[in-house]
Amino acid sequence: MNYRLEHVAIHCKSLNESIEFYQKFFGGTATAVRTGAAGYPFCFVKIDGEVPIQLMESKDQTGVHHYGFVADDVEQAAHEFKAKGAQILRENHDHNGKLTTVFLRDPNGLEIEIRAPR
């Protein structure tokens, strides 16, 4: 199985202030802000064509929320993680019921997202 780091998600108190910071100091380019299924606004900021930062607005949390990886086959990845005893937090499926994303917890308490290629 191949895994590729796709993004690092960070909770921030003010999405707009954080976007401005990464634009001003790092020359970042932000995607349009949208609202996630969990109800918080977020966007991605790309800096020099590298793995983007996902900024997620949160009134009570700051810091790294999760690391996102892309797997060749998310269904097989989920099966292997479960077989090895990973702590699975949740699974997301598309409208046809196909598994698209699985979240697990690392030993430090951070979430890891494994998703299918887009």
Side-chain angles (χ1 to χ4, degrees):
M1 181 70 59
N2 293 311
Y3 297 98
R4 178 178 52 85
L5 182 65
E6 198 235 359
H7 68 275
V8 176
I10 301 171
H11 279 302
C12 55
K13 290 181 182 179
S14 168
L15 187 58
N16 289 331
E17 285 180 17
S18 296
I19 291 168
E20 289 174 16
F21 174 87
Y22 286 102
Q23 288 175 331
K24 179 178 179 178
F25 292 102
F26 294 93
T29 304
T31 63
V33 174
R34 35 186 217 240
T35 300
Y40 54 81
F42 73 95
C43 73
F44 290 88
V45 177
K46 196 133 185 143
I47 299 168
D48 287 333
E50 295 298 323
V51 171
I53 299 167
Q54 180 183 10
L55 299 174
M56 303 165 30
E57 191 166 80
S58 174
K59 299 300 180 207
D60 58 347
Q61 297 180 41
T62 58
V64 174
H65 179 267
H66 71 269
Y67 299 93
F69 290 87
V70 173
D72 297 333
D73 182 337
V74 73
E75 299 244 2
Q76 181 64 32
H79 175 74
E80 289 176 9
F81 281 116
K82 288 174 186 175
K84 293 176 182 177
Q87 181 185 0
I88 304 299
L89 301 173
R90 66 188 175 282
E91 297 179 351
N92 296 340
H93 297 82
D94 66 13
H95 62 277
N96 294 320
K98 182 177 178 182
L99 181 64
T100 59
T101 314
V102 62
F103 286 85
L104 56 132
R105 189 166 314 281
D106 85 355
N108 303 297
L110 293 171
E111 288 188 25
I112 300 172
E113 173 186 1
I114 310 294
R115 70 167 187 79
R118 294 180 201 211

